Amino acid sequence: MRVRALVIALAAVATSVVAGATAVAPVAQAASSRECGRPHGPLVAYGHSYLASPQIGGAPASYVTLAAVAMRVKPVIRAVNGGTTLNVDTLVHSGKTRWVPGTSDLVVIDSGINDIKNKLPTAQWTGALQRVLATFAVPPVPTILLVRPLQVQAPNHPGHDPKVIAAYAAAQRKVASKFDAVRIVDASSGWNPRLDLSVDGIHPTAVGEVHLAKAVQNAAQRALCAP
């Protein structure tokens, strides 16, 4: 109950989550005196239902919103339910959700679990991931937090098998290694599908969202505070 109360309190403090169709104006270059661990501009996130509809799992706010609140910045969510990396590719390159260099210096990408669910051919989703990361590589280059997929509990989901998760994560890391600005957010330590996922075995509960938020915030602080 204490964890859920914390989530509700953080969500109440958060500024409004910006819907997928919302764009933000580019920001000026961060000053050299920028506070360590706090991104300049909003925290921009591309992904799927973990971001777009946290209420599916019973959580009052997504992990990106919670992380943004902790870092005292605005969350900008650009996500679609059921989205894969192919959908993220479209969001990044098309319409009002497209990436504009200088918008922010911190971006989260979370799409892997639905690549696995849809059994996308490896070359297809890794190709889309490489296109997305190449787009962010245009100066000024933001720090990109690429979320490693986590094991789910639903028996009919391929991500139920830890070997499938590990194989996907290895391919994801191989693509990410080509881009200096990418950091993998690995929240697998302490992740417990039976406690952190809702009854559907796929979507995070409030506890699961807090677990992911802490992992994102820690990764952001390590990246932004690096000498």
Side-chain angles (χ1 to χ4, degrees), residues 71-150:
M71 291 185 280
R72 293 178 288 135
V73 296
K74 183 178 182 178
V76 174
I77 308 295
R78 296 169 173 170
V80 294
N81 291 337
T84 66
T85 301
L86 300 180
N87 295 112
V88 169
D89 190 12
T90 299
L91 289 170
V92 167
H93 291 107
S94 303
K96 294 181 179 180
T97 62
R98 69 188 184 282
W99 172 250
V100 177
T103 296
S104 176
D105 59 7
L106 187 61
V107 175
V108 172
I109 299 175
D110 185 0
S111 58
I113 199 63
N114 285 329
D115 292 340
I116 295 172
K117 178 183 178 182
N118 293 352
K119 299 181 181 179
L120 294 182
T122 299
Q124 191 176 34
W125 65 259
T126 56
L129 179 59
Q130 184 155 323
R131 288 192 299 273
V132 167
L133 297 180
T135 299
F136 289 113
V138 176
V141 181
T143 295
I144 303 164
L145 303 183
L146 183 59
V147 179
R148 178 189 186 275
L150 295 170

Side-chain angles (χ1 to χ4, degrees), residues 15-18 22 24 27 37-46 51 62-78 99 103-109 142-147 185 212-213 215-221 224:
T15 55
S16 60
V17 177
V18 180
T22 303
V24 292
V27 296
R38 182 178 181 183
H40 187 250
L43 173 54
V44 180
Y46 290 91
L51 305 176
S62 75
Y63 70 87
V64 165
T65 297
L66 298 181
V69 168
M71 291 185 280
R72 293 178 288 135
V73 296
K74 183 178 182 178
V76 174
I77 308 295
R78 296 169 173 170
W99 172 250
T103 296
S104 176
D105 59 7
L106 187 61
V107 175
V108 172
I109 299 175
T143 295
I144 303 164
L145 303 183
L146 183 59
V147 179
V185 177
L212 281 162
V216 166
Q217 186 184 1
N218 289 339
Q221 289 177 332
L224 297 174

